[in-house]
Structures are given as structure tokens and as C-alpha cells.
Amino acid sequence: MMHIYTTCGVWEFGATTGWVFSADEKGARLLLLESSSTIEVFKRMVLEDFDMEEDSLPDLELSYLPIELINTSTCPPVIIANDRQLQNFVGFVQKCVSTRLCVTSKAKVENLNEPDFDLNKSPADSSTAQEEGNSVGRGNEPAPVFVEMQYEKKKEKIRRVEVDEDAYDVDTMISAKEDKHNMSKYSLLNVVKKGQLFENKTLLKATFEICAMKHNFHYEVIKTDIQLWYVRCEDNACNWCVRAECLKDYAYFIIKKYVGEHTCAPLSKTKLGKTASAKTIGSLIMHRYEGVKEGPKCNDIIQIMLRGIPERSYGKIPKYLHMLREANPGTHSSYEIDSKGRFRYLFIAFGQSIRGFNRVIRRVIAVDGTFLKNKYKGVLLVATAVDGNSNLYPLAFGISKHNHPLTIDVEKKIERRTEKGKTFAVYPVSDGRLLVRGDKIDCLVDLDRRTCSCGKYNLMKIPCRHAIKAGFHVGRQPHTLTDLMYTTEAWREASHDSINPIAVPEDAWSIPEDVVQVNVLPPESRKSVGRNRKRRYETVEDKIRSSQTLQKRQPRKCSRCGISGHNRATCWSVQVCKLWCLKVQYCIVSYGFFF
């Protein structure tokens, strides 16, 4: 028995996003699937929970997208058509609990008449796109039935998708959406409905915990017992509330009252949205760890429940930027992909920041960047100014995926050296040559020849702390100053060809006769004088590493008194005890009594 996150809607295919499931007005449900359930019983459960008509059962279609088994987003979803395929889905969900079950009505899809959608057009051109768009053709093929969005194919190698908000009438947009942005209302009417049944109270609470975590709001439990569960928004002025009661002689809970619209403003929230309880999270991911002795770690739970799958996040970039522009008039945003549809660059500048900068901010902009440490790496850039209270004023954000990502070891070295060279001062000498001061010695850096007077850059061709600081001074990133032999592509190419072992035993070797006749004797040797050397000769890197370790090593402490600077043999407390004993012995011998 397991909980399945189920969504009702249609499948859509895009040239850049691949197959994406778009939810309709029915929203999502959390269903309880038993391992012995049949496809007929499960479909009827879906009909009941989504409040569908009984005659729509033949048109009901269940599908899912096994992201972990496919290497491209162009692979179509998997259709569940019989009991055996339902059992396959159960087995897959036990290993990949984040898989979403998608519900589609074929009758509804066949009546759709959607126009083409072009990502290169701004929202202002949507009416023109609808006039020029052609309806999606659908044949008489059996399930699955999907909605395919036709995208215009680009001939150039790199396609740039950009929207300029200057074409908008900002004042008109602000006035049209003034009430919406002032109140910041959002509706959750499609999460549940009045009269909806839940098998037990645990399932009811889990549904709203996940809903609150997803939509970032917090609710308070007003009253709860075995017969009643009543919650409302933490803001007393908000109308959102839920009241569910237990059916007599049953464990089922029914929604008696549900006001799904939040009337509170987001700025009035004092804390983050309510998080799911440990029991709810455990019930959602427990099937992934069946038969495993060690459970999930904290980072694993965060990855599964909150961050999701990185590949899907990149696919949401066009939709996210569109909604961002809709919610923030005057916002500039653009992104760029290569000929294969791979992400390259992203840029966002909020309209509110732009208007504030043009009105009351001094015209001085600073740009800084940092490395991203996630799966796909990259560089995060931010442009900031300073407001009247000496606080940083964010203007724009950018993400760049550099063409030659470095290996992990080199990335760590560059991060350490960047931190050490933050306080250095740079003075230009000539083209490509800069003087770096602030270290123990002044160093002359030549970025074109990739040399530094400290010698580290010349030896390994990895920029030293002086070269990194000099590169930042002229706007060059550290990875552009590093030799190509340290890139992941070069590392991968060096190990591209594998070494094949001898596949047959020695007695089955097939050797030419001239090779068999050759006899090789061992070389002459003599025993060396002294003990054998157990440590190898240290290289320059070994000496640098050992010196860094010595600098971090804590001073030794006395095991008797715990104070550093001496050991047990020279401890002052021992010396005091010895002097005391000598004094006692002297008194006994001289005066004949104890002191």
C-alpha cells in the first residue's frame, strides 16, 4: 500500500521542453494504491476522487514518465492499459517515489483545438499567434492521445529567446493588475472540494501538509480529535479554512466546509509555509528503501521532497520567465540555448529594481560572481548598487554555463586560492601584465603567457592566487586562465579507451614460435646498504600540502595539566611535587617530625 501523487490534465510536447504534463482545473489528488489493486478498481477510484462522470470511464487514461529510465525528454510517456502494467508501475514507484501519475480523458483531448505556440514571440503577440496557428491534427489512432505544440525550427546554430518589456505599456499593466498585486490573492479551490472523502485522517492531513508546503502558506489547527479536524490560515483576517468530520462508524473523513481562497497578503506572513510532518514524508518515500538496512539521509529527503529533479527545472525556464514577467511588469528576461536545446545563459532584471534604480539610486553598478556547486555547475552573476541606507540594491541576475567546466579537484583549488587572494591589490603595468600586492612578496602576473613570478602558475598552468585576482581585475574568469588539460572533456577523453584484459588463461595462449623461443632473465641486483626507504620522495605539491597541514595543526598540550607549551615530563606541576617531597624529606631528617 502506497500513496500516489495523481494529476489530471493533458500531455504537451515542446521542442525545448520535451514531454510535459499540464494540469487542468481538476488539480491533483493523493491516492492510496494497494499492490493487489486491478486497473478497473483503480480507475473507478480515480473517477470518484476527481469527481468525474461514470460514463467517462472508457475514455480514462493513466500514464507516467519514467525519468530515471530515459536519457532524453523526447521519449513519450508510458501508458498503463492493463493489470500487468499497473503492477509494473507499482514496482517502479517503490524505487522512484517522486514519479507522478497522470490522468487524461481522451474525449476531452480530442475536442481540444489549440493554436501553435512560439517561444520567440512576446505575450503581446499572443493574439497574432492564435490567428496564424493551425489546430493540431489528430488521427483515429488508439491511446495514447497527446497534444503536440508545433515550434518554429531555427536554421541558425544558436537560438536566442528574448523578450523585451519595453514593448509593454507598463502603466497600463500596473493599473490593470493593481488590485491583484495589492491583495496578492491566490486560490486553492482545486486542491480539494466540499464533500470529498478521505480514507482516514492521516491521508487528509498529508494532503493539506503537502499543499501548504507547495503553495508556501501556514495554517493553524483549531480543533482536532477522532471525530473532527478543523484548521484555518494563521492570519486571522484570512478566510481560508477547512473543516472535516469523520463518518459515523467509519474511518472515512469528509470535507464539510472548505474556503479555498486566501485573502491575506504575502507580506503579512511571519514565517515560511507549513512543512510536512515526518510521518507524512516517511509514508511517501518509505517504499524506496524497502529491504535496505540504512535509511535516507537528510540531504536525500531534501532532494526528493523539495528540490526535485534538476533536468525538469531546466525545462521550466520558459514558463517560469513568462510567469515572472506577468507577475512583475517591466521585467526584462532572456535565456539562450544551443543548437541541441542545451542551456547556455539566463538573465533576469526585475522591473521594480529598474524603476527604483532610475529614480533614486546613484549610477554606480558593481558586478560579482560565484561558482555554482550543483550537478551542472556554472557561474552565478549579480549586478548591484548601493541605496541610501548603504545596503546592497540588487539590479540583475545572470547564470552562465561556461564551455569548459573544470575537474572537481581543480575547482576546489581555485576556490581556495580565490578566498586567499581577496585582499590583494592589483596595479596594471602593461597589456596583459599586472602587479599584485598584498601577499608576502609582490608578484608580476602575465595573463597572456600564463606566468607569475611566484612560480606556481608557470609550473602547473593552474592560476595561482595572484593570477586569479589579476584576472578578476580585468574581467577574466579563472576557468579561462586554466589550461585545457584540466577540463572535464580532456579528463574524459584521456580515459575514453579502456584497457582490455587477457580473456583466456595462460595455458590457452596462442603465441608465435619465435616469441616462445625468447628467454628473458632477471637483471643483476645487490642488497642496498642500510634500511629500505619507506617514504617516497616529496614533490613540490607534497611539500606545499604538508606545510598547509602544519599551519592548521594545533599546538601540543600537556597530558597532565592540559596547558600547551610543554609536555608531561617538563610539566611545572611535577616539578612542584618534587620540590615538596624534597622539603618533606629534609624536615624529617633534620627535625625528626613531619612538616
Side-chain angles (χ1 to χ4, degrees):
M1 183 178 296
M2 66 187 70
H3 292 102
I4 305 296
Y5 182 78
T6 310
T7 311
C8 185
V10 293
W11 284 102
E12 298 173 350
F13 181 78
T16 58
T17 59
W19 289 101
V20 178
F21 190 82
S22 298
D24 58 14
E25 67 278 3
K26 292 186 178 297
R29 303 289 188 273
L30 193 63
L31 303 181
L32 191 64
L33 175 62
E34 297 182 357
S35 57
S36 60
S37 298
T38 61
I39 187 69
E40 186 72 14
V41 174
F42 188 68
K43 281 188 175 182
R44 292 189 179 278
M45 185 189 302
V46 173
L47 286 178
E48 179 182 356
D49 288 352
F50 281 96
D51 196 18
M52 296 181 177
E53 300 295 337
E54 185 69 23
D55 54 1
S56 62
L57 181 62
D59 297 328
L60 197 64
E61 181 179 272
L62 306 177
S63 58
Y64 64 101
L65 198 61
I67 297 296
E68 289 76 7
L69 298 181
I70 58 180
N71 57 0
T72 175
S73 59
T74 59
C75 296
V78 178
I79 308 302
I80 304 176
N82 51 45
D83 295 340
R84 177 174 52 81
Q85 294 172 358
L86 181 62
Q87 297 303 319
N88 293 340
F89 172 73
V90 172
F92 181 76
V93 172
Q94 289 179 352
K95 299 179 181 179
C96 307
V97 72
S98 60
T99 305
R100 175 179 60 171
L101 180 65
C102 305
V103 179
T104 306
S105 178
K106 292 187 289 185
K108 181 177 180 180
V109 175
E110 290 172 356
N111 294 330
L112 290 176
N113 186 17
E114 296 187 355
D116 293 346
F117 185 77
D118 191 355
L119 287 176
N120 293 306
K121 295 183 179 180
S122 62
D125 299 332
S126 58
S127 58
T128 307
Q130 292 179 359
E131 295 175 0
E132 297 177 354
N134 298 324
S135 60
V136 180
R138 297 174 177 83
N140 298 323
E141 303 91 326
V145 181
F146 301 113
V147 179
E148 182 177 1
M149 292 184 176
Q150 301 294 334
Y151 290 86
E152 182 181 355
K153 295 183 178 179
K154 294 295 180 181
K155 295 181 180 180
E156 56 268 19
K157 205 166 188 180
I158 298 178
R159 184 179 62 182
R160 183 179 179 90
V161 185
E162 184 172 0
V163 177
D164 191 353
E165 288 291 341
D166 293 342
Y168 289 89
D169 187 351
V170 177
D171 296 333
T172 304
M173 295 180 65
I174 295 176
S175 60
K177 299 182 179 181
E178 184 176 3
D179 296 335
K180 178 179 179 181
H181 288 285
N182 289 339
M183 296 300 297
S184 298
K185 297 179 180 180
Y186 56 97
S187 177
L188 300 174
L189 293 173
N190 296 325
V191 177
V192 295
K193 293 183 178 180
K194 182 179 179 180
Q196 182 175 342
L197 283 173
F198 293 86
E199 290 190 7
N200 50 56
K201 188 177 180 180
T202 302
L203 185 59
L204 171 67
K205 294 171 63 178
T207 302
F208 282 95
E209 285 176 359
I210 295 175
C211 173
M213 183 172 58
K214 181 178 180 181
H215 295 277
N216 194 23
F217 71 94
H218 191 83
Y219 61 81
E220 295 179 350
V221 180
I222 305 301
K223 186 176 181 180
T224 177
D225 53 34
I226 59 175
Q227 298 293 333
L228 177 67
W229 191 71
Y230 178 48
V231 297
R232 61 172 301 152
C233 181
E234 68 168 354
D235 190 346
N236 295 329
C238 183
N239 297 330
W240 188 92
C241 65
V242 180
R243 180 186 178 91
E245 298 179 2
C246 181
L247 296 180
K248 188 176 181 180
D249 300 331
Y250 292 95
Y252 282 82
F253 269 75
I254 185 172
I255 302 294
K256 288 291 187 179
K257 181 182 179 181
Y258 179 54
V259 180
E261 183 178 9
H262 278 270
T263 56
C264 56
L267 294 178
S268 64
K269 297 180 180 179
T270 58
K271 51 186 174 181
L272 298 177
K274 186 178 181 66
T275 58
S277 62
K279 187 176 182 180
T280 300
I281 295 176
S283 63
L284 292 174
I285 67 175
M286 61 183 298
H287 305 285
R288 173 174 290 198
Y289 298 92
E290 284 186 354
V292 181
K293 295 182 179 179
E294 185 178 358
K297 298 180 180 179
C298 296
N299 290 335
D300 298 335
I301 297 176
I302 294 174
Q303 181 67 31
I304 296 172
M305 298 299 299
L306 299 180
R307 295 180 180 175
I309 303 174
E311 290 80 2
R312 294 182 180 179
S313 300
Y314 281 95
K316 294 178 182 178
I317 288 178
K319 297 179 181 179
Y320 175 76
L321 294 182
H322 173 74
M323 296 305 299
L324 205 62
R325 293 189 298 268
E326 288 291 317
N328 302 277
T331 297
H332 294 254
S333 64
S334 64
Y335 70 95
E336 185 174 315
I337 56 178
D338 58 16
S339 58
K340 297 180 180 180
R342 299 287 184 182
F343 172 83
R344 293 192 64 187
Y345 306 110
L346 173 68
F347 173 81
I348 298 175
F350 290 99
Q352 295 87 336
S353 299
I354 297 174
R355 290 190 291 270
F357 178 78
N358 292 331
R359 294 170 185 170
V360 293
I361 300 296
R362 186 186 176 195
R363 300 298 191 272
V364 178
I365 300 176
V367 180
D368 194 7
T370 182
F371 293 103
L372 298 177
K373 300 180 181 179
N374 57 4
K375 178 180 178 180
Y376 296 99
K377 305 297 181 181
V379 179
L380 173 63
L381 301 173
V382 58
T384 59
V386 179
D387 61 12
N389 197 33
S390 300
N391 296 325
L392 293 179
Y393 187 86
L395 291 175
F397 304 89
I399 297 178
S400 171
K401 179 64 177 178
H402 51 74
N403 296 327
H404 301 288
L406 305 177
T407 58
I408 298 176
D409 185 66
V410 176
E411 290 276 10
K412 292 180 179 179
K413 284 185 179 180
I414 291 178
E415 289 180 7
R416 290 197 303 266
R417 294 175 180 179
T418 303
E419 188 68 24
K420 292 179 180 179
K422 279 186 175 181
T423 59
F424 294 169
V426 181
Y427 303 93
V429 177
S430 61
D431 294 339
R433 301 180 67 194
L434 302 100
L435 179 64
V436 180
R437 291 180 174 178
D439 205 354
K440 295 180 180 180
I441 58 173
D442 298 343
C443 295
L444 183 63
V445 179
D446 192 333
L447 296 179
D448 296 333
R449 296 184 179 181
R450 296 186 176 182
T451 59
C452 179
S453 58
C454 71
K456 283 187 178 180
Y457 198 9
N458 313 27
L459 181 65
M460 303 300 296
K461 296 303 178 184
I462 300 175
C464 59
R465 65 186 77 172
H466 315 103
I468 293 174
K469 186 65 177 181
F472 282 138
H473 184 77
V474 297
R476 296 179 64 176
Q477 296 296 326
H479 69 273
T480 62
L481 305 174
T482 310
D483 195 280
L484 292 178
M485 64 178 293
Y486 296 107
T487 61
T488 54
E489 289 81 1
W491 186 31
R492 191 179 298 109
E493 185 179 353
S495 305
H496 181 267
D497 296 331
S498 59
I499 299 176
N500 301 321
I502 300 176
V504 296
E506 184 177 357
D507 54 0
W509 288 358
S510 178
I511 303 174
E513 188 64 26
D514 57 340
V515 177
V516 175
Q517 298 298 331
V518 177
N519 186 22
V520 180
L521 299 176
E524 295 181 354
S525 64
R526 63 176 181 176
K527 187 176 180 180
S528 58
V529 180
R531 296 181 180 180
N532 294 330
R533 185 180 178 87
K534 296 183 178 180
R535 295 184 59 186
R536 64 183 179 86
Y537 290 97
E538 292 185 348
T539 62
V540 176
E541 289 290 331
D542 293 334
K543 293 180 180 179
I544 295 173
R545 191 179 295 109
S546 61
S547 64
Q548 293 174 351
T549 306
L550 291 175
Q551 292 175 0
K552 298 179 180 179
R553 184 178 298 172
Q554 298 293 333
R556 293 183 178 181
K557 296 181 179 180
C558 175
S559 60
R560 183 182 299 274
C561 64
I563 301 176
S564 60
H566 62 274
N567 55 21
R568 184 183 181 92
T570 60
C571 182
W572 65 272
S573 60
V574 178
Q575 304 299 332
V576 171
C577 291
K578 289 181 178 180
L579 291 175
W580 182 262
C581 293
L582 291 175
K583 185 176 181 180
V584 170
Q585 292 177 2
Y586 174 77
C587 293
I588 293 173
V589 174
S590 301
Y591 303 100
F593 62 89
F594 292 97
F595 181 75

